Amino acid sequence: MDIKLHGAIGFDIGHSTVKISCFADGVKHDIIFPSVATPAFTISDENEQRRAIEETVVINGKPYFFGKTALIQSGLSGSTGLSESWIDTPEYEALMRGGLKKIRALDINPDECVIVMGLPTNLHSRQKAALKHMAAECTTGRVLVMPQSLAPYHGMMLDEVGNPSSRHSMESEAWAVVEVGYFTTDIMLMQAGGTWVEKAAGSSRGVALAADALMRSMSEKDVTVDLNEAEEALQTRTIKYFGENLDVSKEVELATSSIVADVLDTSKKLIEPHVRKLDGVIIAGGGAPLVFDEIKAKWPHAVLADNHRFSVSEGMRRYALVTLRLDAMSSFSR
Ligand SMILES: Nc1ncnc2c1ncn2[C@@H]1O[C@H](COP(=O)(O)OP(=O)(O)OP(=O)(O)O)[C@@H](O)[C@H]1O
Ligand SMILES: [Mg+2]
């Protein structure tokens, strides 16, 4: 018997955090947790043990901690998947199963949902089948995979419940997306009528580049910080230093200029020939505020995506709602 699909999920496994946007029974939920997974081990503290059970999944017969528990217990410094073959690892599957576990904890059954997932634009065609295969092992929900830079575009063209937005038109407007993530910045161009311009799509480096630059410049000053601390300092502009907050604004500015230069360089190559004729450029992803002002100075029609860190999962959730509706219409006419 066919299970009736009734929920929509945007499931974005990023290199720094997993972001999930769900919509089921008329209610919307957002979930976020660190993209860290590590083989589980015995925890002696009883309170910690209880919390760890909620953040444990089993992969190939072996238990794994994921999310905050994995981050705290392993002492790992944040992101663990900075390689292109990340999706083939048990850690990636642990993040997928972990996200599904958190969705179930909200009383939403992912097996009855359309689940849209994303991949960096430059890996999409190569890894789409493998991601779908892995996801199918974890859930019987209907899984679709899209290039992640497409999602903020859908987030703008569709409203909260997946209807065409009253403020924009897919038919007549052309937009580019610059989506600044941790590992990659993804760029794409959508012509009027919803035609994706493949030649104008690609990826450059993400916020990790700036975090790395900050880490190195601090090390030259004999202050050792790990990648996680450096990533945080890009926002806070301070580093804890023997009980004081060290102001590192100057170092952050310098480190940030590396990603701005990289993003602008790749954006120029990919979309410069079209950019004047576009209705706008959406700057999305967690790192959007780091590059927004400089891109806006070059391209005045640049706009910051709403709720920029969730812009990928939210766009995918809205796209999942469209798919659900089309499904319902086709089963009605059968
Ligand atoms: N308000 C903010 N200002 C500046 N940087 C931010 C802000 N919010 C988040 N970030 C940073 O943006 C980066 C990218 O976050 P995001 O969640 O989009 O990455 P991701 O999806 O995990 O990575 P990827 O898409 O490359 O796999 C992170 O390093 C995060 O620390
Ligand atoms: Mg991302």
Side-chain angles (χ1 to χ4, degrees):
M1 194 186 77
D2 274 355
I3 292 179
K4 199 171 168 312
L5 299 170
H6 62 85
I9 298 173
F11 202 126
D12 175 20
I13 305 184
H15 287 77
S16 69
T17 48
V18 177
K19 281 109 13 214
I20 302 172
S21 299
C22 326
F23 188 84
D25 304 320
V27 185
K28 183 177 175 294
H29 301 271
D30 283 334
I31 298 169
I32 184 164
F33 59 88
S35 291
V36 185
T38 182
F41 45 83
T42 310
I43 297 174
S44 45
D45 181 78
E46 274 182 26
N47 285 333
E48 273 304 308
Q49 244 178 34
R50 262 192 295 277
R51 204 166 66 108
I53 289 169
E54 282 167 28
E55 291 193 325
T56 302
V57 286
V58 177
I59 311 295
N60 302 326
K62 287 198 194 118
Y64 275 76
F65 293 147
F66 68 91
K68 216 168 169 185
T69 301
L71 186 66
I72 294 169
Q73 294 298 334
S74 68
L76 285 172
S77 60
S79 319
T80 49
L82 297 188
S83 81
E84 290 194 352
S85 54
W86 189 39
I87 71 155
D88 301 324
T89 62
E91 285 80 10
Y92 190 91
E93 188 176 332
L95 296 174
M96 172 91 206
R97 288 191 188 272
L100 294 171
K101 189 168 182 173
K102 285 193 182 279
I103 293 169
R104 287 201 175 91
L106 295 169
D107 261 342
I108 298 170
N109 182 356
D111 297 340
E112 295 173 5
C113 293
V114 172
I115 304 171
V116 179
M117 302 187 70
L119 280 170
T121 314
N122 60 342
L123 301 178
H124 174 254
S125 53
R126 255 189 294 156
Q127 295 189 341
K128 182 179 163 180
L131 178 56
K132 270 189 138 179
H133 179 78
M134 188 279 288
E137 303 268 305
C138 305
T139 172
T140 54
R142 162 116 59 95
V143 177
L144 309 173
V145 179
M146 65 164 61
Q148 61 197 23
S149 52
L150 218 60
Y153 168 80
H154 287 301
M156 177 175 261
M157 291 298 157
L158 300 167
D159 71 10
E160 281 268 312
V161 289
N163 288 319
S165 159
S166 56
R167 290 185 294 145
H168 295 284
S169 159
M170 235 178 206
E171 281 313 305
S172 62
E173 295 179 19
W175 285 82
V177 176
V178 175
E179 197 266 312
V180 188
Y182 182 71
F183 185 42
T184 55
T185 293
D186 288 87
I187 295 155
M188 75 111 211
L189 177 70
M190 198 66 124
Q191 292 292 20
T195 314
W196 181 42
V197 184
E198 196 144 0
K199 273 202 170 146
S203 302
S204 67
R205 308 271 303 271
V207 174
L209 180 68
D212 198 51
L214 181 60
M215 207 168 72
R216 275 183 286 114
S217 83
M218 292 315 297
S219 141
E220 279 164 19
K221 294 184 171 68
D222 280 336
V223 181
T224 309
V225 295
D226 64 28
L227 203 57
N228 208 25
E229 242 184 314
E231 185 194 344
E232 252 183 70
L234 291 175
Q235 286 179 60
T236 61
R237 294 174 171 250
T238 59
I239 281 173
K240 283 262 181 224
Y241 191 72
F242 299 108
E244 290 192 9
N245 286 326
L246 198 63
D247 181 357
V248 291
S249 303
K250 275 204 190 103
E251 290 80 1
V252 166
E253 237 145 72
L254 214 66
T256 307
S257 64
S258 60
I259 174 179
V260 169
D262 206 58
V263 168
L264 278 176
D265 195 45
T266 313
S267 304
K268 260 202 247 163
K269 277 186 209 133
L270 293 170
I271 58 177
E272 182 91 82
H274 313 266
V275 80
R276 180 182 54 78
K277 294 172 268 176
L278 299 176
D279 290 276
V281 181
I282 306 169
I283 313 299
L290 296 177
V291 301
F292 183 69
D293 289 345
E294 296 212 32
I295 293 188
K296 179 97 182 156
K298 266 192 82 59
W299 299 331
H301 53 351
V303 292
L304 189 63
D306 291 341
N307 198 1
H308 60 91
R309 195 159 202 194
F310 278 88
S311 52
V312 171
S313 61
E314 176 60 16
M316 297 194 298
R317 178 189 75 80
R318 294 181 186 195
Y319 188 81
L321 279 168
V322 176
T323 312
L324 264 183
R325 192 162 303 131
L326 292 176
D327 247 31
M329 274 160 59
S330 69
S331 64
F332 188 67
S333 62
R334 250 185 251 142

PDB file of all heavy atoms in Angstrom, residues 191-204:
ATOM      1  N   GLN A 191      17.923  32.029 -15.041  1.00  0.00           N
ATOM      2  CA  GLN A 191      17.319  32.953 -15.999  1.00  0.00           C
ATOM      3  C   GLN A 191      15.814  33.009 -15.806  1.00  0.00           C
ATOM      4  O   GLN A 191      15.234  32.130 -15.170  1.00  0.00           O
ATOM      5  CB  GLN A 191      17.620  32.502 -17.437  1.00  0.00           C
ATOM      6  CG  GLN A 191      19.067  32.603 -17.850  1.00  0.00           C
ATOM      7  CD  GLN A 191      19.562  34.053 -17.969  1.00  0.00           C
ATOM      8  OE1 GLN A 191      18.971  34.966 -17.402  1.00  0.00           O
ATOM      9  NE2 GLN A 191      20.662  34.245 -18.678  1.00  0.00           N
ATOM     10  N   ALA A 192      15.186  34.024 -16.386  1.00  0.00           N
ATOM     11  CA  ALA A 192      13.719  34.113 -16.333  1.00  0.00           C
ATOM     12  C   ALA A 192      13.129  32.835 -16.930  1.00  0.00           C
ATOM     13  O   ALA A 192      13.674  32.286 -17.892  1.00  0.00           O
ATOM     14  CB  ALA A 192      13.262  35.330 -17.124  1.00  0.00           C
ATOM     15  N   GLY A 193      12.072  32.356 -16.336  1.00  0.00           N
ATOM     16  CA  GLY A 193      11.454  31.111 -16.803  1.00  0.00           C
ATOM     17  C   GLY A 193      11.985  29.919 -16.018  1.00  0.00           C
ATOM     18  O   GLY A 193      11.609  28.774 -16.250  1.00  0.00           O
ATOM     19  N   GLY A 194      12.899  30.167 -15.079  1.00  0.00           N
ATOM     20  CA  GLY A 194      13.408  29.083 -14.237  1.00  0.00           C
ATOM     21  C   GLY A 194      14.437  28.210 -14.932  1.00  0.00           C
ATOM     22  O   GLY A 194      14.558  27.024 -14.631  1.00  0.00           O
ATOM     23  N   THR A 195      15.205  28.810 -15.873  1.00  0.00           N
ATOM     24  CA  THR A 195      16.261  28.017 -16.529  1.00  0.00           C
ATOM     25  C   THR A 195      17.577  28.220 -15.792  1.00  0.00           C
ATOM     26  O   THR A 195      18.094  29.335 -15.709  1.00  0.00           O
ATOM     27  CB  THR A 195      16.456  28.472 -18.003  1.00  0.00           C
ATOM     28  OG1 THR A 195      15.171  28.600 -18.574  1.00  0.00           O
ATOM     29  CG2 THR A 195      17.306  27.486 -18.771  1.00  0.00           C
ATOM     30  N   TRP A 196      18.114  27.113 -15.315  1.00  0.00           N
ATOM     31  CA  TRP A 196      19.369  27.127 -14.579  1.00  0.00           C
ATOM     32  C   TRP A 196      20.509  27.180 -15.599  1.00  0.00           C
ATOM     33  O   TRP A 196      20.557  26.360 -16.527  1.00  0.00           O
ATOM     34  CB  TRP A 196      19.438  25.841 -13.742  1.00  0.00           C
ATOM     35  CG  TRP A 196      20.655  25.703 -12.904  1.00  0.00           C
ATOM     36  CD1 TRP A 196      21.249  26.680 -12.171  1.00  0.00           C
ATOM     37  CD2 TRP A 196      21.424  24.509 -12.681  1.00  0.00           C
ATOM     38  NE1 TRP A 196      22.331  26.179 -11.494  1.00  0.00           N
ATOM     39  CE2 TRP A 196      22.469  24.849 -11.786  1.00  0.00           C
ATOM     40  CE3 TRP A 196      21.338  23.198 -13.120  1.00  0.00           C
ATOM     41  CZ2 TRP A 196      23.417  23.927 -11.348  1.00  0.00           C
ATOM     42  CZ3 TRP A 196      22.276  22.278 -12.690  1.00  0.00           C
ATOM     43  CH2 TRP A 196      23.295  22.632 -11.812  1.00  0.00           C
ATOM     44  N   VAL A 197      21.416  28.174 -15.462  1.00  0.00           N
ATOM     45  CA  VAL A 197      22.511  28.314 -16.438  1.00  0.00           C
ATOM     46  C   VAL A 197      23.706  27.522 -15.900  1.00  0.00           C
ATOM     47  O   VAL A 197      24.436  27.975 -15.018  1.00  0.00           O
ATOM     48  CB  VAL A 197      22.884  29.801 -16.628  1.00  0.00           C
ATOM     49  CG1 VAL A 197      23.953  29.961 -17.707  1.00  0.00           C
ATOM     50  CG2 VAL A 197      21.653  30.613 -16.985  1.00  0.00           C
ATOM     51  N   GLU A 198      23.908  26.337 -16.453  1.00  0.00           N
ATOM     52  CA  GLU A 198      24.905  25.424 -15.900  1.00  0.00           C
ATOM     53  C   GLU A 198      26.324  26.009 -15.949  1.00  0.00           C
ATOM     54  O   GLU A 198      27.107  25.851 -15.019  1.00  0.00           O
ATOM     55  CB  GLU A 198      24.837  24.077 -16.627  1.00  0.00           C
ATOM     56  CG  GLU A 198      25.550  23.010 -15.855  1.00  0.00           C
ATOM     57  CD  GLU A 198      24.884  21.647 -15.943  1.00  0.00           C
ATOM     58  OE1 GLU A 198      23.844  21.525 -16.607  1.00  0.00           O
ATOM     59  OE2 GLU A 198      25.424  20.710 -15.347  1.00  0.00           O
ATOM     60  N   LYS A 199      26.617  26.734 -17.047  1.00  0.00           N
ATOM     61  CA  LYS A 199      27.972  27.295 -17.197  1.00  0.00           C
ATOM     62  C   LYS A 199      28.285  28.368 -16.158  1.00  0.00           C
ATOM     63  O   LYS A 199      29.444  28.666 -15.897  1.00  0.00           O
ATOM     64  CB  LYS A 199      28.116  27.905 -18.593  1.00  0.00           C
ATOM     65  CG  LYS A 199      28.552  26.910 -19.634  1.00  0.00           C
ATOM     66  CD  LYS A 199      29.168  27.630 -20.796  1.00  0.00           C
ATOM     67  CE  LYS A 199      29.814  26.623 -21.716  1.00  0.00           C
ATOM     68  NZ  LYS A 199      29.724  27.011 -23.100  1.00  0.00           N
ATOM     69  N   ALA A 200      27.230  28.965 -15.604  1.00  0.00           N
ATOM     70  CA  ALA A 200      27.446  30.037 -14.625  1.00  0.00           C
ATOM     71  C   ALA A 200      27.409  29.499 -13.199  1.00  0.00           C
ATOM     72  O   ALA A 200      27.340  30.269 -12.252  1.00  0.00           O
ATOM     73  CB  ALA A 200      26.390  31.121 -14.812  1.00  0.00           C
ATOM     74  N   ALA A 201      27.434  28.170 -13.045  1.00  0.00           N
ATOM     75  CA  ALA A 201      27.368  27.595 -11.696  1.00  0.00           C
ATOM     76  C   ALA A 201      28.735  27.069 -11.287  1.00  0.00           C
ATOM     77  O   ALA A 201      29.487  26.543 -12.118  1.00  0.00           O
ATOM     78  CB  ALA A 201      26.361  26.456 -11.658  1.00  0.00           C
ATOM     79  N   GLY A 202      29.061  27.204 -10.016  1.00  0.00           N
ATOM     80  CA  GLY A 202      30.347  26.682  -9.544  1.00  0.00           C
ATOM     81  C   GLY A 202      30.527  26.958  -8.071  1.00  0.00           C
ATOM     82  O   GLY A 202      29.628  27.484  -7.413  1.00  0.00           O
ATOM     83  N   SER A 203      31.685  26.587  -7.567  1.00  0.00           N
ATOM     84  CA  SER A 203      31.944  26.776  -6.141  1.00  0.00           C
ATOM     85  C   SER A 203      33.310  27.408  -5.930  1.00  0.00           C
ATOM     86  O   SER A 203      34.250  27.153  -6.696  1.00  0.00           O
ATOM     87  CB  SER A 203      31.945  25.426  -5.419  1.00  0.00           C
ATOM     88  OG  SER A 203      30.726  24.750  -5.604  1.00  0.00           O
ATOM     89  N   SER A 204      33.412  28.227  -4.897  1.00  0.00           N
ATOM     90  CA  SER A 204      34.735  28.672  -4.449  1.00  0.00           C
ATOM     91  C   SER A 204      34.845  28.326  -2.970  1.00  0.00           C
ATOM     92  O   SER A 204      33.986  27.628  -2.437  1.00  0.00           O
ATOM     93  CB  SER A 204      34.930  30.174  -4.710  1.00  0.00           C
ATOM     94  OG  SER A 204      34.069  30.918  -3.889  1.00  0.00           O
TER      95      SER A 204
END
